[in-house]
């Protein structure tokens, strides 16, 4: 298969790497949810060759059998599942986990991509895909998630403990807890991506951020071009903030440019 050929080439590259660079980190855990056996096996082969710990699921029922999901770093979800509505599953995973989430789907409609990103996916990859592209996107997202526990998305140098609590309106954005706290003390959980972006915007109120500058701050230059994910992230944050305080728009769209936080 094409993936097998890709792995041979990557194996040659791997053989040139210093041995300690291969074993220096604990492998990240990736859960594949795909009901096509061949596609699932090829994804698993590709990711295991990249040294990930892979859990393979044929559908939502298999996923329910995973007892400890706290150690999952990333979900790869096919939204065309037979035993469940894939978009509902994306929403459920997003509400229960801080792990990264990438949709891998044969659906190429813009509406599917927008809905998937709005429901909580970090990225959307269309089948058939280039194995190297999928590998690169998985690696980039996992690095970003792992780095969030160590680095500030603003400076790239501050430790997570140095995130300060920020108050706007009657809401507190907790730097240590990575959540929103309303005036009643109720905590609203944020995913890694949601926290990173809101912290970035809140830290520079009224500053206009282009999509490109947001991508650079949050994900690095290798993600340039995936601005659709930024729009989906903004949509999710708006819904969250509106559920807490519907009287303030908070995030303003600067047409043709990007976004600005105006709720301070």
């Amino acid at each position: 298969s094409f993936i097998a050929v890709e792995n041979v080439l990557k194996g040659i590259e791997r053989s040139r790497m210093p041995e300690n660079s291969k074993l220096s980190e604990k492998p990240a855990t990736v859960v594949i949810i795909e009901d096509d056996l061949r596609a699932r096996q090829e994804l698993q082969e590709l990711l295991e060759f990249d040294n990930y710990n892979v859990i393979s699921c044929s559908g939502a029922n298999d996923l329910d059998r995973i007892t400890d999901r706290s150690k999952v770093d990333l979900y790869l979800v096919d939204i065309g599942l037979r035993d469940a509505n894939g978009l509902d599953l994306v929403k459920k995973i997003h509400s229960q986990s801080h792990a990264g989430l990438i949709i891998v789907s044969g659906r190429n409609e813009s509406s599917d991509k927008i809905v998937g990103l709005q429901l909580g996916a970090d990225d959307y990859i269309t089948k058939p895909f280039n194995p190297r592209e999928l590998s690169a996107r998985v690696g980039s997202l996992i690095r970003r998630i792992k780095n969030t526990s160590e680095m500030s998305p603003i400076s790239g140098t501050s430790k997570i403990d140095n995130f300060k609590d920020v108050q706007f309106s009657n809401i507190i954005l907790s730097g240590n807890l990575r959540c929103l706290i309303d005036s009643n003390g109720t905590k609203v959980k944020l995913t890694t991506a949601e926290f990173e972006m809101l912290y970035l915007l809140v830290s520079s109120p009224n500053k206009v951020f282009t999509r490109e500058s947001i991508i650079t701050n949050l994900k690095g230059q290798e993600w340039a071009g995936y601005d659709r994910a930024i729009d989906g992230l903004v949509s999710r944050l708006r819904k969250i903030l509106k559920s807490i305080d519907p009287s303030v728009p908070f995030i303003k769209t600067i047409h043709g440019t990007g976004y600005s936080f105006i709720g301070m």
Side-chain angles (χ1 to χ4, degrees):
S1 68
F2 182 47
I3 287 181
V5 173
E6 288 284 311
N7 285 345
V8 170
L9 296 174
K10 289 164 68 178
I12 295 172
E13 295 171 358
R14 283 270 180 97
S15 67
R16 298 171 181 167
M17 294 169 57
E19 194 65 29
N20 58 359
S21 67
K22 301 178 188 179
L23 304 174
S24 60
E25 294 186 0
K26 180 180 178 182
T29 296
V30 179
V31 172
I32 299 170
I33 309 171
E34 165 66 70
D35 57 7
D36 182 277
L37 177 59
R38 182 176 178 180
R40 189 167 68 249
Q41 289 175 336
E42 290 195 339
L43 278 171
Q44 182 164 353
E45 175 187 352
L46 174 67
L47 295 172
E48 286 181 342
F49 198 88
D50 283 339
N51 199 36
Y52 296 116
N53 175 36
V54 180
I55 300 173
S56 181
C57 301
S58 62
N61 292 332
D62 268 1
L63 179 65
D64 289 338
R65 298 190 183 100
I66 301 176
T67 56
D68 184 5
R69 297 193 207 170
S70 63
K71 298 178 181 178
V72 176
D73 297 286
L74 176 69
Y75 290 88
L76 281 176
V77 183
D78 177 11
I79 57 174
L81 300 172
R82 297 184 183 91
D83 69 343
N85 181 305
L87 291 174
D88 286 345
L89 184 60
V90 167
K91 184 177 181 180
K92 180 180 179 181
I93 293 172
H94 168 67
S95 68
Q96 296 177 348
S97 172
H98 288 292
L101 200 160
I102 297 177
I103 292 174
V104 182
S105 174
R107 302 180 189 177
N108 197 26
E109 296 294 327
S110 295
S111 57
D112 288 322
K113 295 180 181 180
I114 293 170
V115 171
L117 294 169
Q118 288 177 337
L119 290 176
D122 294 286
D123 201 356
Y124 192 112
I125 299 176
T126 304
K127 300 177 183 177
F129 53 82
N130 184 309
R132 288 188 175 184
E133 180 183 358
L134 183 140
S135 178
R137 293 206 204 179
V138 167
S140 294
L141 182 54
I142 286 178
R143 286 194 300 274
R144 180 171 63 84
I145 291 169
K146 286 185 174 295
N147 287 342
T148 300
S149 63
E150 302 171 357
M151 309 280 285
S152 163
I154 309 302
S155 67
T157 56
S158 301
K159 295 296 183 182
I160 189 72
D161 290 342
N162 290 334
F163 279 122
K164 298 178 180 179
D165 291 354
V166 181
Q167 183 166 356
F168 53 92
S169 184
N170 293 317
I171 303 170
I172 295 173
L173 176 61
S174 172
N176 288 328
L177 299 179
R178 285 192 287 171
C179 71
L180 291 168
I181 305 174
D182 67 16
S183 58
N184 297 317
T186 303
K187 296 181 179 64
V188 180
K189 182 178 70 172
L190 298 174
T191 65
T192 297
E194 289 164 354
F195 172 78
E196 284 183 344
M197 182 165 183
L198 186 55
Y199 195 93
L200 175 68
L201 296 177
V202 169
S203 297
S204 300
N206 300 313
K207 177 180 177 179
V208 177
F209 286 90
T210 65
R211 290 174 178 83
E212 290 77 14
S213 67
I214 292 171
I215 290 169
T216 299
N217 273 281
L218 301 190
K219 299 180 177 180
Q221 288 286 1
E222 72 263 31
W223 279 79
Y226 298 100
D227 55 358
R228 183 74 72 179
I230 297 299
D231 295 337
L233 196 53
V234 168
S235 178
R236 280 152 48 189
L237 285 171
R238 282 176 168 157
K239 289 180 180 179
I240 293 170
L241 293 168
K242 186 176 181 179
S243 70
I244 300 174
D245 185 352
S247 66
V248 184
F250 292 110
I251 301 175
K252 180 181 180 180
T253 298
I254 311 299
H255 292 290
T257 304
Y259 299 100
S260 179
F261 191 85
I262 59 172
M264 298 299 284

